[in-house]
Amino acid sequence: MLYDFQDRKFQARLLSDNEESIAEVQEVENLLNSFKTKLAAALARCRIKHDALSIYHILPETVRNQELRASTLPLYAWINTCKISPEEVYHSLKRKGYNKVNCVLHMGGKVFAMDQHCYDVLIFPSHLKSDLLNIDLFKDYKLIFQDKSRSLAVHSVKAFLNMNDDVLMVNTGSWYTVAHMSILTSNNSTKIFVCGVQSQTKHPDLKNLFTKMGCENIEILPETFLNIDSKENRLQKVKVILLLPRCSGLGISNPVEFILNEHEDTDLLKDFSQGGTSEDKLNVLAQQQYKQLTHAMKFTKAQAVVYCTCSVYPEENEAVIKKALELQDLGTKIQPYRLSPPVLPLCSLKDIQLSADKFFRMEPSEITNGCFLSVLTRERDPSETVSVRDVLARAAAKGLLDGIELGKPSKREKKKKSKTALPKASATNTNSIQLKIAAFLNRETNENINRSETSTTKTPLAQKSTTQVGSSSQVRKAKPAPSPLVPTFGKNTSPARPYERRSNFVRPRPEDRMVVLKPVEIVLPPVTFPYSAPQGVRPQTLAPRFYYRWAGPKPVMSGYLPTTSLTKGENPKNSPSSLLRRRRPWL
């Protein structure tokens, strides 16, 4: 008020027609006005002593930097998705003359942008606040102004929630934070517990506020957080604890507005005016934060703790987290806590550098206030199995499932269940099939041996072929044929002439083993008639013929096919192929 009084050249402030007069404020203004001469002289002496041009330059440098950042700090507002969708908000703003841009910094006119970390948060330039408060979107609680640090904490909690998991919120400050958490979890059957509301007179006002915003899953607890038993029955389904402890708040660029909106301690204003917090008070705050964090880690059913402050001091941030992890009680039935990386998207190289040690930080700047966020999660029990429903719920919370119903099993699961329901073939059935196959092969082999014993015709060519096939069978093993006596034709064999086996041809019986004969394909080159042709007639060239005969392979190396050929002058009279085809005198 003194700064404002000096800025107006010690003139009385005129009230507007719409402004209500507050008795306490009016009394202070009258006292300042009555001592305006002495105040002006005292301020002049201070400017000479500190070599300052005005009272603004007497303020600490940190306070001046905060005011400079506050003059350009944009406005953040989250969308109440229980009452309106983001697409409807965009269309409504465009109808009112607002244009969507990528960044609102240093831009005039009616513009807005989407936040990179939270999908339901919009950003507006600071000079549009008075205009935005008069539109229906803010009057009907469809858009709510709030600092971005609270939205970051709420979205971090949502990333760890499964179906039917409850949330416990500690030191929430503004009730808009509770409402934002409730709206994000309205589809998960989640209940939001808020502790520390001791005054019963606030309950009707809070219920009225939550009803206007569409929140239905909030339960208020009158006990303070440190007085709540970690084994209380109504809190057994709490899986995530959101801890927003009291802090110095020196990461805030506009501390007065933040204290009023978040219901913080007004005693912090003295620290803000001095540009810092005393060491004794900082130790007291750090001790309170440590007690709340260790008490949150005692809830055995909880699986994650989200810790968020607006401080820039390591004593309130990293030191508290590391001390709690080092001194945590390692029980035999519960898994210990560990530091987890941030679950929020890292949208820039600066975010990655600040989060290198698994802490999410935002330094005070011209676009955001300072923020520190840490996530502690329990180490997963190796014997614990996560259901498919929980995995799908977590994926839906991260926006990975669009239009997929979680209640219906997938087709792949149905096929898997149907496959597992079919009876598997036992080892005894497999052995019986193999025995039947072996018995059939033995029976076929015995019939072939008996048939060869009754034969009386033996040819030298057949004996030679038999010996050769027997020797080659030990070198190369081929796939078993369906019938050992059925010939196999090559690729160049004409299918128009089927092969017929003569009944008078019988294979001789070898002395020691049964040998399987295989057909051999012989391709003869074109043959020119040796006798002279009449004059004027050119010798005719015959088309290539195919000649088949039963022959055994010669002993060859492994991997090569046995082939046989007829030598000149050999008599093919006893071969089976000679009985199938007419004689060829040119051979």
Side-chain angles (χ1 to χ4, degrees), residues 15 20 63 76 118-119 136 206-207 221 223 254 264 275 277 307 361 420 432 439 534-535 566:
L15 299 177
E20 296 181 0
V63 177
Y76 291 87
C118 305
Y119 63 87
D136 296 336
L206 292 178
K207 291 183 179 180
L221 305 178
E223 302 91 345
N254 193 350
E264 295 289 340
T277 305
Y307 180 91
R361 299 185 186 87
T420 54
S432 63
Q535 292 183 357
L566 288 177

Side-chain angles (χ1 to χ4, degrees), residues 153-170:
V154 169
H155 277 271
S156 299
V157 172
K158 182 192 173 185
F160 290 97
L161 290 178
N162 297 324
M163 294 295 293
N164 303 324
D165 289 348
D166 294 343
V167 179
L168 179 60
M169 303 184 68
V170 184

Side-chain angles (χ1 to χ4, degrees), residues 450-467:
N450 295 334
R451 190 182 306 165
S452 63
E453 288 178 352
T454 58
S455 103
T456 56
T457 306
K458 296 182 181 180
T459 58
L461 180 60
Q463 292 177 358
K464 183 177 180 180
S465 301
T466 303
T467 306

